[in-house]
Amino acid sequence: MQAQSSASVSMPDTEAWSYLGEQERQFSVMREGAALTSTRLRTDDGISLHALSCGQPGRPVVLLANAVGVSALFIARLAKALAVHYHVVSWESRGMPDIGTTPLSACVSLERQCQDALAVLRHFDCKPSAVVSYCSGSNVAAYALSTRLMTAQAWCAVSPSINVATANQTDYQRTMLPLWRRLAEGNPRQAALVKALLARRNPSEETGPRSELLHLNGLPFASGESTYQYARLQAACMAPEWAPLLNAIAVPTLICHGTQDVIIHRDTSDHVARHVPGAQLIDIPDSGHFSVYESDRLHTEILHFLQRSLRTHTP
């Protein structure tokens, strides 16, 4: 499959994290986000993207694919850890979490999201030596690598939300993933009903950064329109037949799964690892779905994997 042309226009980002309110801007996780340099790109279909970088240009490039529709603050600590050795580039999804940048009618297909990643790479005038992805960002990474829209020398996926046939799923996977698909086929008014139900969930007893991350994780459900846009992004990630795509990935691959993850079942990570030729699966002890932010052990494992793979792999 040939990549389509996706020239972009860049501009200074004078409104980085503009979707955050005054409360969120006081969060401790914002200190981690300060390490990320921000610019705005306008894609060839007119969408404004929040592009991010961290680390010294000229070093090997790591493309960091965040969970779609979620604030890049989730991956800020990992970006800082990787930036010690690499030039890290990333972006926030079209339409979410900054819903004001993307019409509800805009294309959010998985291929279009891959084209956004390519536009970010072109903006920074670089090619990825490796791709590191989190949750549904792994769907974008896997699609790009398997279809050769993008090439890299290594891939690491953290809690990949890639549904190959699995015997066991978490409550979230059983209930919410099918719901996103149904909402994407509907309209914002229907999504508003789900948004109201989500707003009735019991408040968390967590404190500190974990509480802040839970709050940020709820930003996509601030309105019926944002819930609908989030559902469209998630439905796009579920659209492909994943088994043959994963079988086509031909780079060293590491799948990381937190032992306390209640969002993505370990069987999901195991099935992804089994379908990617030569992939390795490792468990991250005492870590949940937010391990991408919270776990220093995870950050160390990713760094060691990249150092091994980029030293030994021949494209």
Side-chain angles (χ1 to χ4, degrees):
M1 182 180 300
Q2 295 296 318
Q4 301 171 354
S5 174
S6 181
S8 61
V9 177
S10 65
M11 63 203 80
D13 191 358
T14 58
E15 299 181 355
W17 319 111
S18 59
Y19 53 86
L20 298 178
E22 186 60 32
Q23 175 190 0
E24 291 92 3
R25 290 175 183 272
Q26 302 306 314
F27 284 173
S28 62
V29 297
M30 283 293 293
R31 292 195 293 270
E32 307 294 342
L36 298 169
T37 300
S38 173
T39 57
R40 286 280 177 178
L41 306 180
R42 190 162 301 279
T43 64
D44 61 353
D45 63 341
I47 303 303
S48 176
L49 292 181
H50 187 195
L52 301 155
S53 65
C54 188
Q56 183 177 329
R59 290 176 174 171
V61 173
V62 173
L63 178 68
L64 193 47
N66 189 27
V68 301
V70 173
S71 173
L73 292 172
F74 272 82
I75 56 171
R77 284 195 73 239
L78 174 58
K80 284 178 62 176
L82 295 176
V84 174
H85 301 285
Y86 302 101
H87 181 206
V88 181
V89 300
S90 189
W91 79 104
E92 289 186 323
S93 304
R94 53 176 46 215
M96 288 299 301
D98 192 355
I99 189 171
T101 62
T102 307
L104 294 179
S105 59
C107 178
V108 294
S109 70
L110 205 51
E111 180 162 346
R112 181 69 254 192
Q113 294 182 59
C114 293
Q115 295 293 342
D116 289 345
L118 294 173
V120 171
L121 289 166
R122 279 193 294 273
H123 166 70
F124 291 112
D125 192 23
C126 63
K127 296 181 179 180
S129 295
V131 180
V132 176
S133 58
Y134 168 52
C135 193
S136 50
S138 299
N139 300 55
V140 179
Y143 190 86
L145 292 170
S146 64
T147 59
R148 305 299 190 268
L149 284 169
M150 182 185 301
T151 59
Q153 300 174 37
W155 175 39
C156 176
V158 180
S159 297
S161 180
I162 298 176
N163 282 331
V164 192
T166 55
N168 297 301
Q169 295 183 321
T170 64
D171 289 342
Y172 172 83
Q173 290 173 293
R174 282 193 299 269
T175 60
M176 298 307 294
L177 293 183
L179 179 60
W180 299 139
R181 183 179 282 118
R182 290 197 295 272
L183 288 179
E185 296 169 351
N187 56 57
R189 182 175 298 178
Q190 294 169 326
L193 298 175
V194 174
K195 177 261 179 187
L197 292 173
L198 291 171
R200 294 179 183 176
R201 291 179 299 178
N202 294 329
S204 169
E205 296 180 357
E206 300 285 355
T207 59
R210 174 69 66 88
S211 174
E212 296 170 358
L213 293 171
L214 286 167
H215 178 91
L216 293 173
N217 201 47
L219 290 179
F221 318 120
S223 68
E225 288 78 9
S226 62
T227 303
Y228 175 66
Q229 191 74 294
Y230 182 81
R232 294 180 69 225
L233 287 164
Q234 293 296 328
C237 288
M238 291 182 277
E241 178 63 38
W242 279 109
L245 290 171
L246 294 173
N247 287 335
I249 295 175
V251 298
T253 298
L254 177 68
I255 309 298
C256 301
H257 189 88
T259 58
Q260 297 177 2
D261 193 334
V262 297
I263 301 299
I264 303 299
H265 201 284
R266 188 184 186 280
D267 278 6
T268 302
S269 293
D270 181 63
H271 277 69
V272 172
R274 289 174 181 270
H275 280 79
V276 177
Q280 177 188 5
L281 170 65
I282 63 170
D283 294 312
I284 307 299
D286 304 318
S287 295
H289 195 62
F290 294 165
S291 63
V292 70
Y293 183 93
E294 297 173 327
S295 176
D296 292 337
R297 168 73 178 273
L298 172 67
H299 299 169
T300 299
E301 292 286 356
I302 294 173
L303 278 166
H304 288 170
F305 167 72
L306 294 179
Q307 289 164 357
R308 293 193 308 269
S309 299
L310 299 185
R311 184 173 61 245
T312 60
H313 179 67
T314 301

